[in-house]
Amino acid sequence: MPEELKAQKSNFYGIAIDMLNALSEAVFGFERNVPYYNTFISSKSMLLEAIKNIKESDTLQTIVDSIDDLLQAYEEFDYNEYSVYSYRSDFRSAYTQRNECTIDEFYLQMIGRTFKTDEDRAIRVIDPRPRMGESITGFKALMPENTITYAAAVPENQGAITKQKFDKVALGTLKGSVISNDAFDVMFLQPPITLEKQSEKLMIKKEKDLIRDTIKYLRPNGYLVLVLPHFRFYKDIALILAKNFTDFQIRQFSGAAFERTGTVFLIAKRKAKSKDRGNEVDPKEYQKLRHLYNLDKVTNIMNENFEEVQLPAGEEVVKYFHGSILDTDEIKNIFENSGSMSSFWKAQEVEKLSENPQNPPLPFNTGQLGLVLTSGALDGVVDEGRGYYHVVKGRVVKKTDSERDTMTNAQGQSEMELVETTSNRVEINVLLPDGTHKVLA
């Protein structure tokens, strides 16, 4: 086969498969009464036939003729007639409403059985963008013991409900969060998908961005669980996955869950660290993703669950897991683990000047009290008994008082004069047992 023909065939296959994905999405997700709906169906059949013919062809003309036939049906096609509301309402809400969860707990439990380990260690599972309706408790119950679940990028108003389902929660957005890389054994990812154009002809795929930006959290040989519509494995997404993962297992949903969303499950192992990771692509694995428009070749999860996989050996420590917004529980944990209180109490220890009773001249005047306070002799912890303590700190601060006086100048005119007086003020700062801060002046 001439090299030019071989290259043209390869280019056509890439374009044709992306077209098949787009047509599959239109047929699956659009309302039946949108313009060109029947044309979408016939074009998909025509495109499948064209791919078959081109495989058997030995001339460039066959490719040209096939493209012309496809384009002819869309001579008067206007993509501006379509919007997010061209999709079925149930499909649209599944991907535009974060509180809509497209995965039943039953499926999560089936996936949980897949992961095995021979070690008695913590298993760390992260979901970088959980949906509010998602409950991972069933998944965790069928995972190995000592599984710890992490939820990142959780909106602040959903923090309370998410904490009921995940062990650790980071509030805010991924941008601004601090999360350890190469640390998690399993990453569960159900990205939102873009349904609207961001410009006249451009659709920025949010799902691609989320996949690309979260791979780093997964440890080498850790496993990705990806939930994505079968028609969204375009070339760019398939390349990202094939460059960074291997050992793909794919299953489709069953029943009403699939009819509403068209999603499939993908389990894949992150490649071990090497100079080739991120560059080398296994053609067989890549083709698995590129041919998901043909669901007849995808095993139904109800007929066959995923093959069991072994989690990587050894335990990685998640040193950092902080959201872009600090919540009260997180601040408490940071404070308790910081050693600040130990340092604080140690700083209150003072060396006693003498064990002998002293008889200072009393009562103190203001100047004497200021000297005593500034010397630090009164600073420290006051024991009330019964386990109650006050922390006392005295100091002298500068205080400026301002007064306005009206004066008459030499010309008999009234003038306003500002008089400022700066003085030293003695104050005592007290930290009460309940954390209340008071200032006595």
Side-chain angles (χ1 to χ4, degrees), residues 10-234:
S10 178
N11 290 337
F12 176 81
Y13 292 147
I15 296 171
I17 290 173
D18 277 350
M19 289 179 65
L20 279 172
N21 282 326
L23 290 168
S24 296
E25 179 169 346
V27 172
F28 184 92
F30 277 6
E31 297 283 4
R32 303 299 184 258
N33 60 352
V34 300
Y36 279 83
Y37 186 81
N38 291 329
T39 304
F40 297 149
I41 296 174
S42 60
S43 297
K44 184 176 178 181
S45 300
M46 188 186 304
L47 191 55
L48 288 169
E49 186 65 25
I51 291 174
K52 180 181 177 182
N53 292 337
I54 289 172
K55 281 183 179 179
E56 300 169 354
S57 173
D58 56 1
T59 67
L60 285 172
Q61 190 58 44
T62 307
I63 298 177
V64 174
D65 292 342
S66 298
I67 293 174
D68 286 343
D69 291 341
L70 286 168
L71 294 179
Q72 188 175 358
Y74 294 94
E75 286 182 351
E76 299 180 3
F77 181 79
D78 183 5
Y79 58 84
N80 288 315
E81 294 182 14
Y82 300 87
S83 71
V84 67
Y85 295 103
S86 300
Y87 289 94
R88 301 192 324 264
S89 59
D90 58 342
F91 181 89
R92 184 173 65 246
S93 65
Y95 291 110
T96 58
Q97 303 297 321
R98 184 162 178 162
N99 60 347
E100 288 279 350
C101 182
T102 60
I103 302 179
D104 295 335
E105 182 77 4
F106 172 73
Y107 293 122
L108 290 175
Q109 292 175 357
M110 294 185 71
I111 295 173
R113 297 190 183 99
T114 301
F115 302 102
K116 303 296 178 183
T117 181
D118 297 328
E119 300 175 313
D120 182 16
R121 67 172 181 86
I123 306 298
R124 306 185 190 280
V125 180
I126 184 172
D127 188 336
R129 192 191 181 280
R131 290 173 177 262
M132 196 171 81
E134 175 187 319
S135 175
I136 205 165
T137 51
F139 174 82
K140 179 181 177 181
L142 295 175
M143 285 282 290
E145 292 184 10
N146 302 325
T147 294
I148 304 172
T149 54
Y150 297 73
V154 176
E156 193 170 8
N157 62 354
Q158 297 178 12
I161 190 170
T162 306
K163 288 175 184 178
Q164 297 173 11
K165 301 171 182 178
F166 288 81
D167 298 312
K168 298 183 181 294
V169 174
L171 300 181
T173 60
L174 282 180
K175 184 178 181 180
S177 296
V178 180
I179 301 174
S180 296
N181 294 338
D182 300 325
F184 294 89
D185 298 285
V186 178
M187 182 167 70
F188 186 87
L189 194 59
Q190 185 182 358
I193 67 171
T194 307
L195 298 181
E196 286 188 284
K197 299 186 296 292
Q198 278 68 43
S199 62
E200 185 177 355
K201 294 185 179 181
L202 180 65
M203 178 179 283
I204 299 172
K205 295 189 281 292
K206 291 187 290 187
E207 60 270 30
K208 181 188 78 172
D209 295 340
L210 188 61
I211 294 169
R212 181 195 60 215
D213 295 343
T214 56
I215 291 172
K216 61 187 178 183
Y217 302 140
L218 197 58
R219 63 184 294 189
N221 297 318
Y223 283 88
L224 167 70
V225 180
L226 177 64
V227 184
L228 198 66
H230 66 281
F231 40 73
R232 280 300 176 103
F233 286 86
Y234 287 97

Side-chain angles (χ1 to χ4, degrees), residues 172-437:
T173 60
L174 282 180
K175 184 178 181 180
S177 296
V178 180
I179 301 174
S180 296
N181 294 338
D182 300 325
F184 294 89
D185 298 285
V186 178
M187 182 167 70
F188 186 87
L189 194 59
Q190 185 182 358
I193 67 171
T194 307
L195 298 181
E196 286 188 284
K197 299 186 296 292
Q198 278 68 43
S199 62
E200 185 177 355
K201 294 185 179 181
L202 180 65
M203 178 179 283
I204 299 172
K205 295 189 281 292
K206 291 187 290 187
E207 60 270 30
K208 181 188 78 172
D209 295 340
L210 188 61
I211 294 169
R212 181 195 60 215
D213 295 343
T214 56
I215 291 172
K216 61 187 178 183
Y217 302 140
L218 197 58
R219 63 184 294 189
N221 297 318
Y223 283 88
L224 167 70
V225 180
L226 177 64
V227 184
L228 198 66
H230 66 281
F231 40 73
R232 280 300 176 103
F233 286 86
Y234 287 97
K235 181 179 180 180
D236 50 359
I237 292 177
L239 277 175
I240 290 173
L241 293 169
K243 286 179 178 180
N244 290 280
F245 295 91
T246 186
D247 297 349
F248 294 159
Q249 295 188 63
I250 304 168
R251 301 288 186 272
Q252 64 170 290
F253 272 75
S254 181
F258 176 80
E259 294 299 327
R260 189 164 78 103
T261 63
T263 47
V264 294
F265 292 114
L266 167 69
I267 289 183
K269 181 169 73 173
R270 191 182 184 195
K271 293 179 179 178
K273 287 184 177 179
S274 72
K275 62 179 181 180
D276 295 323
R277 188 175 77 182
N279 297 309
E280 196 174 77
V281 174
D282 184 336
K284 290 184 178 179
E285 300 284 27
Y286 176 70
Q287 292 303 322
K288 284 182 184 178
L289 303 178
R290 292 295 278 152
H291 288 82
L292 286 176
Y293 60 83
N294 186 1
L295 282 174
D296 294 338
K297 296 182 179 180
V298 180
T299 304
N300 191 303
I301 194 170
M302 296 301 296
N303 298 331
E304 182 183 337
N305 197 5
F306 291 101
E307 296 178 10
E308 291 183 357
V309 297
Q310 198 73 15
L311 293 173
E315 182 176 348
E316 294 289 342
V317 176
V318 178
K319 188 175 181 181
Y320 304 107
F321 190 73
H322 308 306
S324 61
I325 299 174
L326 289 179
D327 65 359
T328 53
D329 291 339
E330 190 172 0
I331 294 173
K332 179 182 177 182
N333 290 333
I334 292 173
F335 183 73
E336 289 178 347
N337 295 324
S338 67
S340 298
M341 285 306 299
S342 298
S343 301
F344 175 77
W345 288 114
K346 187 174 181 180
Q348 306 313 310
E349 296 176 2
V350 294
E351 182 179 355
K352 294 182 179 180
L353 298 176
S354 173
E355 295 291 344
N356 299 321
Q358 304 294 320
N359 297 304
L362 295 175
F364 287 153
N365 62 35
T366 302
Q368 291 171 327
L369 183 59
L371 288 173
V372 173
L373 288 171
T374 53
S375 71
L378 296 183
D379 295 350
V381 178
V382 178
D383 185 356
E384 278 192 9
R386 298 178 300 170
Y388 291 97
Y389 299 86
H390 296 322
V391 178
V392 178
K393 173 70 176 177
R395 64 174 184 167
V396 175
V397 296
K398 296 288 185 182
K399 180 184 178 184
T400 301
D401 295 317
S402 300
E403 291 184 2
R404 286 183 170 82
D405 290 337
T406 303
M407 303 180 65
T408 303
N409 60 20
Q411 288 75 31
Q413 297 174 332
S414 297
E415 292 183 345
M416 184 72 70
E417 182 180 11
L418 178 65
V419 179
E420 292 186 344
T421 304
T422 301
S423 60
N424 292 328
R425 185 181 70 174
V426 176
E427 69 176 29
I428 301 174
N429 291 268
V430 182
L431 186 63
L432 301 179
D434 62 358
T436 303
H437 174 236

